[in-house]
Amino acid sequence: MGALRRFRKRLFVDELGWDLTVQGEEERDQFDTDQALHCALLECDQIIGGFRLTPTTVPYLSRDVFPHLASSRPFPARPDFAEVSRLGVIGEGSVRIERALKVYGLMMHIASYQRLTGLVAIADLTYERFLRRIGITTRRYGPPQAIGADRFGRTLHAVAGEIPLADQPPRTLARLRSTLQTVEIHDAPSLFGPQRLSA
């Protein structure tokens, strides 16, 4: 878990400039609990991507920190929905896109394994455009809003919404599944206990 927190600090704080809580070389927050599933994508034993999946029946980042982003539809609190947060990959150009597709493939795989019907998140507009480009259907909970500034003084804009899993085009799901052909998934049986997953 420490390696994943160090990856998060490197990506979100050092590279992207998010103003997050840091302890030493690790980024962590109050939502890093035993109810959350932490997924890391590794290449040659190095973390290159990851995300956190939190049930919406317990406190979660989107609803508890950014409730105002859900201005047209409320954030869910139901057992068949989970929140995705701290999602990101490192790399440049086509390598980064390829890794992102694998991370989204893992996300869909885990959602199916857990029989979820929706994934909730807040995202910046770049990620929302990327989802649209790769064919993932999303549904907004409200319009984009400014949520603060990063460490470099740039204003951050985000939008809240969901990925309704039943509405995903079969072609998109097939493409994301195909990205996992070279991925070996570990710890899948622990998905319903105190949860840690690596791929």
Side-chain angles (χ1 to χ4, degrees):
M1 190 61 201
L4 186 55
R5 288 179 177 141
R6 288 190 292 275
F7 168 81
R8 283 167 34 177
K9 192 254 184 188
R10 173 185 166 195
L11 174 60
F12 298 118
V13 178
D14 298 342
E15 182 179 329
L16 298 179
W18 292 6
D19 189 13
L20 303 175
T21 301
V22 173
Q23 297 179 7
E25 289 301 309
E26 299 182 4
E27 183 275 311
R28 62 177 69 195
D29 66 17
Q30 68 269 36
F31 304 104
D32 288 323
T33 67
D34 285 342
Q35 286 79 36
L37 172 90
H38 302 271
C39 181
L41 180 67
L42 285 81
E43 189 175 280
C44 300
D45 295 324
Q46 297 295 314
I47 297 177
I48 58 171
F51 60 89
R52 177 175 63 193
L53 203 65
T54 307
T56 62
T57 52
V58 301
Y60 63 97
L61 187 148
S62 300
R63 184 186 62 202
D64 290 36
V65 178
F66 302 102
H68 58 285
L69 293 180
S71 57
S72 58
R73 296 185 61 183
F75 282 114
R78 42 190 284 188
D80 59 330
F81 269 62
E83 180 206 39
V84 178
S85 59
R86 296 300 190 262
L87 184 149
V89 297
I90 57 172
E92 300 296 331
S94 61
V95 170
R96 192 170 197 142
I97 292 172
E98 180 182 320
R99 291 172 175 177
L101 289 172
K102 287 181 179 178
V103 165
Y104 281 107
L106 282 168
M107 189 176 72
M108 294 297 190
H109 174 79
I110 295 168
S112 175
Y113 188 91
Q114 293 194 334
R115 299 181 181 176
L116 301 176
T117 63
L119 297 169
V120 181
I122 59 169
D124 66 27
L125 302 186
T126 301
Y127 258 115
E128 187 186 42
R129 287 192 295 270
F130 177 73
L131 291 176
R132 192 177 304 122
R133 198 170 87 212
I134 65 176
I136 292 179
T137 300
T138 61
R139 185 180 299 140
R140 285 182 173 183
Y141 291 169
Q145 297 183 44
I147 59 169
D150 65 18
R151 292 169 184 256
F152 308 121
R154 298 173 300 203
T155 301
L156 297 174
H157 293 85
V159 62
E162 68 182 54
I163 297 174
L165 297 176
D167 295 346
Q168 300 310 307
R171 183 175 178 181
T172 298
L173 294 177
R175 181 187 182 198
L176 292 175
R177 276 195 301 270
S178 73
T179 67
L180 302 182
Q181 291 176 356
T182 58
V183 174
E184 184 177 344
I185 298 176
H186 299 277
D187 297 334
S190 72
L191 285 175
F192 296 100
Q195 303 158 340
R196 303 290 180 268
L197 182 73
S198 60

